Amino acid sequence: MRKQQYSIGEMSQLCNVSKKALRFYDKIGLISSLRHDYNNYRLYTHDELLMVPVLKYYKQMGFKLDEMKEFIAGANGNVYSSMQSAFEKKIHELQNAKIELQRCEESVRDWHALLREAEQVIVEGVREISVKYVEQANLLYQEQPFEGDIKSAIINIHFMDYVEKTGNAITGPVYIRFSSLEDRMEGRPQNIRIMQNVLMPCGGGGRVSFGGCMMASCYHVGEIETIPETYDRFISWVRRHGYTPGTACYERYVTDYWTTSNSDYHVTELLVKVSRDGMEKHPEAHGAGAESRHGRGRSQDLL
């Protein structure tokens, strides 16, 4: 024969819920207790005992205590209508949370991959120059003037403001397109294009197609300010091996000021489109992609 009344200790043990939680449920009127007149001890009925598994199940579905209280009581007119409205609202909340969680996971995975790449470059002393096919990517971009402050170009306040205003979220490495390879090697001011991959679902803003072609590649390790020295070696190799570099150059920041203030661990990939005599040459695109009426920019030509 079941008991008719249970102490708070028995409730806690039977339902695997803390006494503190039971006291709080009692305080907000979700699972009420009886009180002895002479000692004020809490006592619970069997019906109150059976409420605990119900609350646990609603908690599993993501409902908050005030939400549970509202539709469990069934005091708002049509019980089914009230509950359906609450469940539809919760489904919408969970779908948004799922999207946000997927964005977080993708961002963490992208960052983790960059850390592994940088570690491999440093530990294995990767300094080789190569020509490789770079996969095409559709990146969010913004054109800006560059006066030589590379840190402010990478941790870019104006670009971050643009990302937020266009309703985007970004992931992966920052890319910078320097319109003039020669000016980059000489440290002269020029126009640049900040580029970065966006997380789904995408917002508005302009997009530019990067890659989809053969490019010469080389890693620079250490202070990004000393990168012209690596460019000298890089472009000398490119020309010595019979390639003609494009007029623009690209820097892909594997690890940088976003990652650590210790410049010994900064790793940058230099990328230049190359061609050879007799090979088909594709002119680089210099114009900006106009945004569509819906806010999503038209993709640029390759590079």
Side-chain angles (χ1 to χ4, degrees), residues 103-120 171-173 252 254-255 259:
R103 283 183 165 193
C104 290
E105 181 183 1
E106 186 175 346
S107 296
V108 171
R109 287 184 180 278
D110 287 344
W111 202 296
H112 181 243
L114 292 172
L115 293 173
R116 292 179 62 186
E117 179 183 351
E119 181 183 38
Q120 184 175 6
T171 184
R252 171 178 168 267
V254 183
T255 50
T259 317

Side-chain angles (χ1 to χ4, degrees), residues 5-102:
Q5 292 185 329
Y6 302 84
S7 69
I8 190 171
E10 290 173 322
M11 283 276 285
S12 175
Q13 185 175 11
L14 287 169
C15 299
N16 193 27
V17 63
S18 71
K19 294 179 184 179
K20 181 179 179 181
L22 288 170
R23 293 189 188 99
F24 183 71
Y25 296 158
D26 194 357
K27 180 180 178 181
I28 64 175
L30 197 54
I31 298 181
S32 300
S33 67
L34 305 172
R35 297 293 187 95
H36 273 308
D37 292 336
Y38 62 89
N39 59 17
N40 207 34
Y41 284 175
R42 287 179 169 86
L43 290 175
Y44 296 87
T45 67
H46 190 73
D47 285 340
E48 300 299 334
L49 175 76
L50 296 181
M51 278 297 298
V52 178
V54 175
L55 296 188
K56 286 186 173 183
Y57 191 62
Y58 281 120
K59 182 180 179 182
Q60 173 188 307
M61 290 186 283
F63 287 101
K64 299 180 178 63
L65 292 177
D66 58 341
E67 294 171 322
M68 300 179 199
K69 184 178 178 180
E70 182 177 339
F71 56 73
I72 286 177
N76 293 338
N78 189 318
V79 174
Y80 290 137
S81 177
S82 175
M83 291 186 69
Q84 285 186 65
S85 177
F87 272 72
E88 288 166 3
K89 180 181 177 182
K90 184 58 61 178
I91 288 170
H92 181 69
E93 289 178 5
L94 293 173
Q95 287 174 336
N96 288 338
K98 181 180 179 181
I99 291 172
E100 188 60 32
L101 188 60
Q102 289 173 334

Side-chain angles (χ1 to χ4, degrees), residues 261-280:
S261 59
N262 189 339
S263 60
D264 291 343
Y265 294 92
H266 290 176
V267 175
T268 308
E269 184 182 17
L270 313 185
L271 293 158
V272 176
K273 183 182 177 183
V274 293
S275 60
R276 269 182 168 157
D277 291 340
M279 294 175 62
E280 183 181 1

Side-chain angles (χ1 to χ4, degrees), residues 142-180:
Q142 186 183 49
E143 306 279 356
Q144 296 181 7
F146 176 68
E147 300 291 336
D149 185 356
I150 192 64
K151 184 175 183 179
S152 295
I154 296 171
I155 304 181
N156 198 300
I157 299 296
H158 298 295
F159 184 64
M160 289 303 298
D161 182 59
Y162 178 64
V163 170
E164 292 173 356
K165 285 181 177 178
T166 54
N168 284 289
I170 51 178
T171 184
V174 173
Y175 292 80
I176 294 183
R177 175 190 187 272
F178 294 87
S179 56
S180 170

Side-chain angles (χ1 to χ4, degrees), residues 232-248:
D232 287 338
R233 179 173 67 89
F234 180 38
I235 300 305
S236 294
W237 183 95
V238 167
R239 288 174 173 146
R240 190 168 63 250
H241 285 76
Y243 293 99
T244 300
T247 57

